[in-house]
């Protein structure tokens, strides 16, 4: 299997909505996004699928060493995803430090199951989502440096949506991404999240999380320069789908994320994508 085919198979097998907004892209950019997604998926799988944290850490170290070969003169990476990534680096101007930062975020998942406050959580989100947003912006094309700030903020909004959606699922794996300071502020003991009982304080806590995520979407869109809005539209399609999910969670009652995980049906995703392509995204 060719490296690009491997990436396409990896992306298709995930069943993620991540790629929905990028179907409209020219082939070269669509393939670039697919390879980037496969890279992120492979790293995420290291953390999710390995029960031994030491083995997972060693595997992430291997990935970083193999990634270095992408940027080395005459370097030949071993992994098919990195072989597919290598020609994209000069084509789209992808910096090594941003790709390494994603690995750093995965390391945080291995060593940290709690975040003291929102500032600490933002550091994590920057590694696993903000920097991904910047890489996507580079592949889509931009002319204004502020577009990278937009991508950072939108990455935060998307990751906060993921965290809200996955509270119950993460709790069943012993993880709580909601900041400890905010649990204390709303009188929510960690144990009530881990055992799935929630309570009135938890409902108010989750309403706060939703409100903050909405504000992040608004701030991100406000940062996007008009000159780059057309080029970045595929990313806005993805954002519109995630924002619709956030709205569904709020309408259902955000506290219910402890019991089950909501998703946007495929046909509705397609409608959102078309609407956003034609008229843009206004959270």
């Amino acid at each position: 299997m060719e490296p690009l085919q491997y990436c396409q198979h990896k992306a298709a097998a995930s069943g993620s909505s991540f790629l929905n907004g990028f179907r409209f892209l020219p082939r070269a950019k669509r393939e670039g996004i697919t390879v980037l997604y496969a890279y992120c998926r492979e790293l995420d799988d290291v953390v999710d699928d390995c029960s031994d944290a030491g083995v997972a850490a060693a595997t992430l170290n291997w990935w970083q060493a193999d990634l270095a070969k992408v940027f080395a003169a005459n370097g030949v990476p071993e992994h098919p995803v990195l072989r597919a990534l290598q020609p994209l680096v000069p084509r789209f101007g992808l910096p090594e430090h941003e790709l390494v930062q994603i690995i750093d975020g995965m390391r945080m998942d291995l060593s940290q199951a709690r975040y003291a406050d929102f500032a600490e959580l933002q550091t994590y989100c920057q590694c696993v989502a903000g920097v991904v947003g910047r890489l996507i912006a580079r592949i889509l094309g931009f002319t204004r440096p502020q577009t990278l700030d937009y991508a950072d903020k939108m990455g935060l909004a998307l990751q906060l949506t993921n965290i809200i959606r996955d509270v119950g699922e993460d709790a069943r794996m012993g993880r709580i991404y909601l900041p400890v300071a905010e649990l204390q502020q709303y009188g929510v003991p960690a144990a009530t999240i881990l055992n799935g009982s929630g309570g009135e304080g938890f409902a108010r806590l989750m309403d706060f999380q939703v409100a903050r995520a909405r504000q992040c979407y608004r701030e991100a869109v406000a940062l996007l320069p008009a000159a780059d809005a057309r080029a970045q539209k595929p990313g806005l399609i993805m954002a519109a789908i995630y924002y619709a999910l956030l709205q569904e969670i709020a309408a259902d009652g955000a506290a219910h994320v402890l019991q089950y995980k909501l998703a946007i049906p495929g046909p509705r995703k397609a409608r959102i994508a078309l609407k956003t392509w034609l008229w843009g995204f206004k959270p």
Side-chain angles (χ1 to χ4, degrees):
M1 186 182 293
E2 293 296 315
L4 178 58
Q5 290 177 313
Y6 178 95
C7 294
Q8 291 168 334
H9 177 75
K10 186 75 178 179
S14 73
S16 171
S17 63
F18 179 89
L19 297 173
N20 275 281
F22 304 106
R23 295 178 299 168
F24 301 92
L25 286 174
R27 180 178 175 179
K29 292 184 178 183
R30 188 171 67 250
E31 290 176 352
I33 295 291
T34 300
V35 172
L36 175 62
Y37 177 80
Y39 173 74
C40 295
R41 185 73 263 165
E42 289 283 354
L43 296 175
D44 202 44
D45 287 349
V46 171
V47 176
D48 290 347
D49 297 345
C50 186
S51 57
D52 186 317
V55 173
T59 303
L60 290 176
N61 290 341
W62 180 88
W63 269 94
Q64 187 165 346
D66 205 36
L67 175 65
K69 298 174 186 175
V70 170
F71 293 87
N74 302 314
V76 181
E78 296 178 45
H79 200 283
V81 168
L82 295 179
R83 291 203 299 273
L85 180 67
Q86 194 165 35
L88 304 183
V89 166
R91 184 182 305 164
F92 298 117
L94 307 181
E96 183 176 7
H97 75 271
E98 290 184 355
L99 292 158
V100 169
Q101 215 173 338
I102 300 172
I103 299 175
D104 291 338
M106 297 301 112
R107 289 191 177 109
M108 291 178 72
D109 264 333
L110 288 178
S111 61
Q112 195 166 352
R114 301 285 192 281
Y115 293 87
D117 52 30
F118 186 59
E120 195 172 90
L121 181 63
Q122 278 184 291
T123 299
Y124 168 75
C125 291
Q126 166 65 20
C127 289
V128 300
V131 71
V132 176
R134 293 171 71 92
L135 290 163
I136 290 172
R138 295 181 190 281
I139 293 171
L140 296 178
F142 69 100
T143 62
R144 304 287 192 274
Q146 187 174 314
T147 297
L148 295 178
D149 296 330
Y150 143 80
D152 264 330
K153 179 66 74 169
M154 189 60 82
L156 175 62
L158 299 179
Q159 188 62 24
L160 291 179
T161 303
N162 280 336
I163 288 170
I164 291 166
R165 178 197 62 193
D166 295 343
V167 166
E169 184 175 84
D170 289 333
R172 288 185 282 278
M173 295 188 293
R175 290 189 165 278
I176 301 176
Y177 287 94
L178 305 175
V180 172
E182 293 170 10
L183 267 64
Q184 294 172 342
Q185 178 184 345
Y186 286 91
V188 180
T192 65
I193 296 177
L194 293 172
N195 65 27
S197 60
E200 182 180 342
F202 179 73
R204 291 187 289 110
L205 170 67
M206 293 311 299
D207 288 343
F208 171 75
Q209 304 299 319
V210 169
R212 178 167 57 201
R214 283 178 177 147
Q215 182 61 25
C216 283
Y217 282 101
R218 289 191 287 267
E219 291 175 1
V221 170
L223 282 169
L224 180 59
D228 288 337
R230 183 174 180 82
Q232 297 297 318
K233 190 170 283 189
L236 291 173
I237 290 174
M238 178 177 65
I241 292 170
Y242 273 74
Y243 187 76
L245 172 62
L246 183 68
Q247 296 292 74
E248 283 293 316
I249 291 170
D252 185 65
H256 290 143
V257 293
L258 268 182
Q259 280 73 51
Y260 50 82
K261 182 175 175 176
L262 287 176
I264 300 294
R268 187 177 174 203
K269 289 178 186 176
R271 292 195 299 272
I272 293 169
L274 179 59
K275 180 180 177 181
T276 306
W277 185 259
L278 293 174
W279 294 296
F281 171 48
K282 297 179 181 178

